[in-house]
Each structure stands twice: as C-alpha cells, then as structure tokens.
Amino acid sequence: MNKVILMGRLTRDPEVRYSQGENSMAIARYSLAVDRRYNRNSGDEATADFINCVAFGRNGEFAEKYLRKGTKILAEGRIQTGSYTNKDGQRVYTTDVVVENQEFAESKNGSSASNDSFSSGNDSAPVVSGAGDGFMNIPDGIEEELPFN
C-alpha cells in the first residue's frame, strides 16, 4: 500500500502549468514544510522536512485558486519516484507526493493567509467558511441531508 498523509504549510505559492492537447489539465507543484516531532530529551529545536507535492486536474485547479504561501493544509496521496538526465548528463532522482486530496487545516481566522475552510476532495459538499467559535455554519436548506438530527 502506498499512502501518504501530510500536514504542513506551503513554502511558496503553487507553480501551475497546463498540459497541452485537447483536454488540457492543470498540474500544480508546491512544497510543504512538515514539522518533525519534537524530542524534549534531545534539546534540539523543532525541525521540518520539505516535501515536494504535485496535484493534477481538479486538485491542481484548487491549488491554483486557493493555496498560497503559508497556508496550512492536509494533503493525502501517494509517493512517486522518478528520474531524468539533466543538462550536464547527470542522472537526477526525484521523489514527489502525488496529491489525491487536499484540504485546509486551519480556519481563515487562524491563518495569516486569506483562505476559507474548503475541501477539494468532495465536489458535492457545500462551500462554508469557518465561524468565530471554531464551528462551521450550516447553510440553510440542507437539514434533511444531514446524517443526524
């Protein structure tokens, strides 16, 4: 099983390109700074790993529209390795997380970035923004769709 779940902040705005051809597709690349667990006994300061991510299609469009440097997100996907030969003829090996689902990990009020609590993984979910009390507002007219009363 190849499954990755990361929570971190974007180190820069996503770089988005579109594939060529009849059905062009968004391809977004960004890097996440993911904190390592802090070890109290070692006395070292907290460190982070910088993970390269790539999102295709609707996930790429979501990244282009909503994600910015400093945004804290939860990304779910799989690891993909590859290689290519650079201009100097040297073999370069790559490791990326192919993002299959991404969502905000903090509310607009909790972030310095101007983002609402959206999710790109569920297209049928209504778009709602975080309330000041930490709970999401339920849009009018969907009470009968809720799984509980």
Side-chain angles (χ1 to χ4, degrees):
M1 176 183 288
N2 184 354
K3 181 112 174 152
V4 176
I5 300 173
L6 301 169
M7 182 180 296
R9 294 189 183 275
L10 272 76
T11 61
R12 57 180 157 59
D13 288 350
E15 178 184 309
V16 182
R17 295 187 177 157
Y18 285 84
S19 63
Q20 296 180 355
E22 266 183 51
N23 301 324
S24 67
M25 174 177 46
I27 303 168
R29 292 187 173 279
Y30 55 86
S31 177
L32 282 182
V34 179
D35 289 333
R36 290 185 184 174
R37 288 187 179 228
Y38 179 73
N39 186 350
R40 294 181 197 184
N41 298 332
S42 71
D44 294 335
E45 292 186 26
T47 58
D49 291 305
F50 299 91
I51 313 292
N52 293 322
C53 299
V54 61
F56 296 98
R58 293 184 63 100
N59 284 322
E61 293 168 7
F62 177 85
E64 178 179 35
K65 189 171 182 180
Y66 298 111
L67 301 184
R68 298 288 172 260
K69 178 181 177 178
T71 305
K72 187 174 186 179
I73 67 166
L74 180 100
E76 178 183 352
R78 60 185 167 81
I79 290 181
Q80 180 173 296
T81 59
S83 64
Y84 63 92
T85 305
N86 67 11
K87 295 176 187 175
D88 300 328
Q90 296 175 330
R91 196 78 166 155
V92 178
Y93 295 93
T94 62
T95 302
D96 294 310
V97 172
V98 177
V99 176
E100 296 167 352
N101 186 24
Q102 57 197 349
E103 56 189 69
F104 291 104
E106 68 184 355
S107 68
K108 183 176 183 178
N109 294 336
S111 168
S112 60
S114 58
N115 296 314
D116 288 329
S117 299
F118 298 104
S119 171
S120 66
N122 187 352
D123 295 334
S124 64
V127 175
V128 294
S129 60
D133 60 2
F135 292 96
M136 295 172 65
N137 295 324
I138 299 175
D140 294 333
I142 68 161
E143 286 82 17
E144 60 275 354
E145 295 179 23
L146 296 176
F148 52 85
N149 288 328

